[in-house]
Amino acid sequence: QVSLVESGGGKVQAGGSLRLSCAASGGTFSTYAMAWFRQFPGKYREFILGIRESGAVAYTADSDSVKGRFTVSRDNAKNTVYLQMDSLKPEDTAVYYCAAVPDNGFIPSYYLRRSSYRFWGQGTQVTVSS
């Protein structure tokens, strides 16, 4: 199975930026759909943005809070998916996770579901102070 390791989290001031990385190993990265989730204290893990094997971005209405501020990308040569976070707000404070599932060309909504993702990283803390 593929292993995922997030990095790049930390503490920043409101309005600042962070770039999260998720390094994959043990699988054929280029064939996986990837996604970023975040978990607020006392809440379930929530979908942020995903990126398909093709490079197409997956998003939901719940992604509106990060639209225009967060960007997901992947570098297959490095087996890494990124989450560029700009204009950070205190309400972005959470543990951020990356996840992976083989991209078998299912309907787009499949890749928006937490339950669809088979492999998960351990998470990285992002704290935004005002």
Side-chain angles (χ1 to χ4, degrees), residues 29 31-35 51-53 74 99-103 111 117:
F29 177 80
T31 68
Y32 281 77
M34 306 292 297
I51 186 164
R52 300 285 299 279
E53 178 185 19
R74 67 191 298 157
V101 66
D103 193 331
Y111 302 96
Y117 289 87

Side-chain angles (χ1 to χ4, degrees), residues 6-100:
E6 302 98 336
S7 63
K11 297 181 177 67
V12 298
Q13 295 183 170
S17 297
L18 285 174
R19 189 192 195 193
L20 305 184
S21 298
C22 176
S25 61
T28 306
F29 177 80
S30 62
T31 68
Y32 281 77
M34 306 292 297
W36 287 96
F37 293 75
R38 64 185 178 183
Q39 188 167 17
F40 301 107
K43 302 292 185 180
Y44 289 109
R45 205 165 295 180
E46 298 179 351
F47 179 89
I48 307 173
L49 292 168
I51 186 164
R52 300 285 299 279
E53 178 185 19
S54 66
V57 174
Y59 60 93
T60 70
D62 292 332
S63 305
D64 287 346
S65 65
V66 304
K67 271 190 174 180
R69 300 190 297 120
F70 289 12
T71 304
V72 64
S73 62
R74 67 191 298 157
D75 186 340
N76 290 340
K78 297 181 178 180
N79 290 348
T80 301
V81 63
Y82 303 96
L83 185 67
Q84 178 67 44
M85 305 186 294
D86 299 317
S87 301
L88 283 162
K89 305 174 181 179
E91 51 263 45
D92 294 319
T93 296
V95 178
Y96 285 70
Y97 298 85
C98 67

